[in-house]
Short mmCIF file of all heavy atoms in Angstrom, two decimals:
data_model
loop_
_atom_site.label_atom_id
_atom_site.label_comp_id
_atom_site.label_asym_id
_atom_site.label_seq_id
_atom_site.Cartn_x
_atom_site.Cartn_y
_atom_site.Cartn_z
N VAL A 335 -3.14 227.69 119.00
CA VAL A 335 -3.04 226.81 117.83
C VAL A 335 -1.85 227.19 116.97
O VAL A 335 -1.14 226.34 116.44
CB VAL A 335 -4.35 226.88 117.01
CG1 VAL A 335 -4.18 226.19 115.66
CG2 VAL A 335 -5.50 226.24 117.78
N THR A 336 -1.62 228.49 116.85
CA THR A 336 -0.54 228.98 115.99
C THR A 336 0.84 228.83 116.62
O THR A 336 1.81 228.45 115.95
CB THR A 336 -0.77 230.46 115.63
OG1 THR A 336 -2.07 230.60 115.05
CG2 THR A 336 0.28 230.96 114.65
N THR A 337 0.93 229.11 117.93
CA THR A 337 2.26 229.19 118.56
C THR A 337 2.54 228.10 119.59
O THR A 337 3.68 227.95 120.03
CB THR A 337 2.40 230.55 119.27
OG1 THR A 337 1.44 230.62 120.35
CG2 THR A 337 2.13 231.70 118.30
N ALA A 338 1.51 227.37 120.00
CA ALA A 338 1.65 226.37 121.07
C ALA A 338 2.23 226.99 122.34
O ALA A 338 3.01 226.37 123.06
CB ALA A 338 2.51 225.20 120.60
N SER A 339 1.81 228.21 122.62
CA SER A 339 2.33 228.93 123.78
C SER A 339 1.87 228.30 125.09
O SER A 339 0.66 228.11 125.30
CB SER A 339 1.86 230.39 123.73
OG SER A 339 2.04 231.03 124.97
N PRO A 340 2.79 227.98 126.01
CA PRO A 340 2.37 227.45 127.32
C PRO A 340 1.53 228.45 128.11
O PRO A 340 0.62 228.06 128.85
CB PRO A 340 3.71 227.18 128.02
CG PRO A 340 4.71 227.04 126.92
CD PRO A 340 4.25 227.97 125.85
N ALA A 341 1.82 229.75 127.95
CA ALA A 341 1.03 230.77 128.65
C ALA A 341 -0.40 230.78 128.13
O ALA A 341 -1.36 230.93 128.91
CB ALA A 341 1.67 232.14 128.48
N ALA A 342 -0.58 230.64 126.82
CA ALA A 342 -1.93 230.57 126.25
C ALA A 342 -2.64 229.31 126.72
O ALA A 342 -3.84 229.33 127.02
CB ALA A 342 -1.85 230.62 124.72
N GLU A 343 -1.90 228.20 126.78
CA GLU A 343 -2.49 226.95 127.25
C GLU A 343 -2.97 227.07 128.69
O GLU A 343 -4.04 226.58 129.05
CB GLU A 343 -1.47 225.83 127.12
CG GLU A 343 -2.02 224.46 127.50
CD GLU A 343 -1.00 223.35 127.30
OE1 GLU A 343 0.17 223.67 127.02
OE2 GLU A 343 -1.39 222.18 127.43
N ARG A 344 -2.18 227.76 129.53
CA ARG A 344 -2.56 227.97 130.93
C ARG A 344 -3.83 228.83 131.02
O ARG A 344 -4.74 228.53 131.81
CB ARG A 344 -1.41 228.64 131.68
CG ARG A 344 -1.74 229.11 133.09
CD ARG A 344 -2.15 227.98 133.99
NE ARG A 344 -2.39 228.43 135.35
CZ ARG A 344 -3.09 227.75 136.26
NH1 ARG A 344 -3.63 226.58 135.94
NH2 ARG A 344 -3.25 228.23 137.47
N ALA A 345 -3.91 229.87 130.20
CA ALA A 345 -5.10 230.72 130.19
C ALA A 345 -6.33 229.93 129.75
O ALA A 345 -7.42 230.06 130.34
CB ALA A 345 -4.88 231.93 129.27
N LEU A 346 -6.18 229.09 128.74
CA LEU A 346 -7.29 228.27 128.27
C LEU A 346 -7.77 227.31 129.36
O LEU A 346 -8.97 227.07 129.52
CB LEU A 346 -6.89 227.49 127.02
CG LEU A 346 -6.66 228.30 125.75
CD1 LEU A 346 -6.14 227.39 124.64
CD2 LEU A 346 -7.95 228.98 125.31
N ALA A 347 -6.83 226.75 130.11
CA ALA A 347 -7.19 225.82 131.18
C ALA A 347 -8.02 226.54 132.26
O ALA A 347 -9.01 225.99 132.76
CB ALA A 347 -5.94 225.21 131.79
N LEU A 348 -7.63 227.76 132.61
CA LEU A 348 -8.36 228.51 133.63
C LEU A 348 -9.76 228.88 133.14
O LEU A 348 -10.74 228.80 133.89
CB LEU A 348 -7.58 229.77 134.01
CG LEU A 348 -6.30 229.53 134.83
CD1 LEU A 348 -5.47 230.81 134.93
CD2 LEU A 348 -6.65 229.01 136.23
N ILE A 349 -9.86 229.28 131.89
CA ILE A 349 -11.18 229.58 131.33
C ILE A 349 -12.04 228.32 131.29
O ILE A 349 -13.24 228.36 131.56
CB ILE A 349 -11.04 230.20 129.93
CG1 ILE A 349 -10.31 231.54 130.02
CG2 ILE A 349 -12.41 230.41 129.29
CD1 ILE A 349 -9.96 232.14 128.66
N GLY A 350 -11.41 227.19 130.98
CA GLY A 350 -12.14 225.92 131.02
C GLY A 350 -12.68 225.62 132.40
O GLY A 350 -13.78 225.09 132.56
N ASP A 351 -11.92 225.97 133.45
CA ASP A 351 -12.40 225.77 134.82
C ASP A 351 -13.63 226.62 135.10
O ASP A 351 -14.54 226.20 135.83
CB ASP A 351 -11.29 226.13 135.81
CG ASP A 351 -10.12 225.14 135.76
OD1 ASP A 351 -10.33 224.03 135.24
OD2 ASP A 351 -9.02 225.50 136.22
N LEU A 352 -13.68 227.84 134.53
CA LEU A 352 -14.86 228.69 134.69
C LEU A 352 -16.10 228.01 134.13
O LEU A 352 -17.17 227.97 134.76
CB LEU A 352 -14.66 230.03 133.98
CG LEU A 352 -13.80 231.09 134.64
CD1 LEU A 352 -13.72 232.33 133.75
CD2 LEU A 352 -14.37 231.47 136.00
N PHE A 353 -15.97 227.47 132.92
CA PHE A 353 -17.11 226.81 132.29
C PHE A 353 -17.48 225.52 133.01
O PHE A 353 -18.65 225.11 132.99
CB PHE A 353 -16.81 226.55 130.82
CG PHE A 353 -16.97 227.77 129.95
CD1 PHE A 353 -15.88 228.55 129.60
CD2 PHE A 353 -18.21 228.16 129.50
CE1 PHE A 353 -16.01 229.68 128.83
CE2 PHE A 353 -18.37 229.29 128.71
CZ PHE A 353 -17.26 230.05 128.36
N ALA A 354 -16.52 224.86 133.63
CA ALA A 354 -16.81 223.66 134.40
C ALA A 354 -17.73 223.98 135.58
O ALA A 354 -18.64 223.22 135.91
CB ALA A 354 -15.51 223.00 134.88
N VAL A 355 -17.49 225.12 136.23
CA VAL A 355 -18.38 225.56 137.32
C VAL A 355 -19.79 225.78 136.79
O VAL A 355 -20.78 225.39 137.42
CB VAL A 355 -17.83 226.84 137.97
CG1 VAL A 355 -18.82 227.38 139.01
CG2 VAL A 355 -16.47 226.59 138.62
N GLU A 356 -19.89 226.40 135.61
CA GLU A 356 -21.21 226.68 135.04
C GLU A 356 -21.97 225.40 134.71
O GLU A 356 -23.20 225.35 134.83
CB GLU A 356 -21.04 227.53 133.77
CG GLU A 356 -20.49 228.91 134.03
CD GLU A 356 -21.33 229.69 135.01
OE1 GLU A 356 -22.57 229.75 134.83
OE2 GLU A 356 -20.76 230.25 135.97
N THR A 357 -21.26 224.37 134.29
CA THR A 357 -21.92 223.10 134.01
C THR A 357 -22.58 222.54 135.25
O THR A 357 -23.70 221.99 135.20
CB THR A 357 -20.89 222.09 133.46
OG1 THR A 357 -20.30 222.61 132.27
CG2 THR A 357 -21.55 220.75 133.15
N ILE A 358 -21.94 222.70 136.40
CA ILE A 358 -22.47 222.16 137.65
C ILE A 358 -23.71 222.92 138.10
O ILE A 358 -24.68 222.33 138.60
CB ILE A 358 -21.38 222.21 138.75
CG1 ILE A 358 -20.20 221.31 138.36
CG2 ILE A 358 -21.95 221.82 140.10
CD1 ILE A 358 -19.00 221.46 139.29
N ILE A 359 -23.73 224.24 137.94
CA ILE A 359 -24.81 225.06 138.50
C ILE A 359 -25.89 225.40 137.49
O ILE A 359 -26.83 226.13 137.80
CB ILE A 359 -24.25 226.37 139.10
CG1 ILE A 359 -23.61 227.23 138.01
CG2 ILE A 359 -23.25 226.06 140.21
CD1 ILE A 359 -23.12 228.58 138.52
N CYS A 360 -25.80 224.87 136.27
CA CYS A 360 -26.80 225.19 135.25
C CYS A 360 -28.19 224.75 135.70
O CYS A 360 -28.39 223.61 136.14
CB CYS A 360 -26.43 224.50 133.93
SG CYS A 360 -27.57 224.87 132.58
N GLY A 361 -29.16 225.63 135.59
CA GLY A 361 -30.54 225.32 135.94
C GLY A 361 -30.90 225.58 137.38
O GLY A 361 -32.07 225.46 137.75
#
Side-chain angles (χ1 to χ4, degrees):
V335 169
T336 305
T337 65
S339 165
E343 184 177 8
R344 172 60 177 161
L346 291 175
L348 289 170
I349 296 173
D351 292 342
L352 282 179
F353 282 97
V355 174
E356 294 304 310
T357 301
I358 297 172
I359 64 176
C360 182

